[in-house]
Amino acid sequence: MSSEHERQQSRLRSEQIEQSSDAPWADLELTVPNERSQLSIVSFVECVLVELTHEEVGAEYVSTNVWGAKRTQFIPIDDNGEMFRKRHYDERLGWHESTVSRRAVREDLISRLTRSSSQATDRSHDVPVNNPDTFSVKPARKLQMR
């Protein structure tokens, strides 16, 4: 058991080193809702798109509700960053994958990040959802279909 704990601690240390502030994309995180202006969100998304084009990273938007987590991931599939793999996961339905343009990614992210409430709170159900949606940029290898 202690060896498993040591492996987990070692992995966590490695991840922290990989995501240190030296990585230009390390601080590209945001919760929804947030207090940013529309212009600020647009600038943020443009920064994200630049990093997705120049680094081996992907973007992930996560919303959790009483039915489970929903994940939407964007990973570039060409060297120019003009086409992306969009992967969507719903715990009830599984994974769905499609190919989308850079423009579609830009519009999707701006739409999601400018919401005034969590995507999960937009659904009617008995149990309130207090957790905000989260957006982050991560190494592409960590965005494998889980």
Side-chain angles (χ1 to χ4, degrees), residues 30-134:
L30 198 57
T31 58
V32 173
N34 59 66
E35 299 294 321
R36 296 183 89 158
S37 69
Q38 174 83 18
L39 184 59
S40 175
I41 295 290
V42 170
S43 295
F44 177 82
V45 169
E46 291 300 333
C47 289
V48 167
L49 289 170
V50 167
E51 293 306 322
L52 292 178
T53 303
H54 297 293
E55 300 289 332
E56 290 190 28
V57 295
E60 182 175 56
Y61 187 92
V62 180
S63 181
T64 305
N65 60 39
V66 296
W67 301 291
K70 292 188 178 197
R71 298 177 179 277
T72 303
Q73 301 173 345
F74 300 96
I75 301 168
I77 58 175
D78 65 5
D79 292 339
N80 302 346
E82 292 300 320
M83 297 303 294
F84 289 79
R85 178 176 301 118
K86 179 180 180 179
R87 298 191 301 210
H88 181 73
Y89 175 75
D90 182 314
E91 285 190 20
R92 297 173 294 162
L93 304 172
W95 286 97
H96 176 280
E97 188 172 306
S98 61
T99 301
V100 296
S101 68
R102 180 184 190 95
R103 180 179 179 182
V105 172
R106 182 181 189 278
E107 291 170 0
D108 191 323
L109 290 177
I110 290 170
S111 173
R112 289 173 187 268
L113 298 175
T114 56
R115 290 183 176 141
S116 59
S117 65
S118 165
Q119 189 174 18
T121 60
D122 292 341
R123 293 171 176 60
S124 59
H125 45 74
D126 297 334
V127 181
V129 176
N130 297 320
N131 296 335
D133 293 355
T134 58

Side-chain angles (χ1 to χ4, degrees), residues 14-15 18-19 60 73 138-144 146:
S14 296
E15 289 175 6
E18 289 175 6
Q19 293 184 1
E60 182 175 56
Q73 301 173 345
K138 300 176 180 182
R141 69 183 177 282
K142 292 188 180 193
L143 295 178
Q144 300 299 319
R146 313 169 214 210

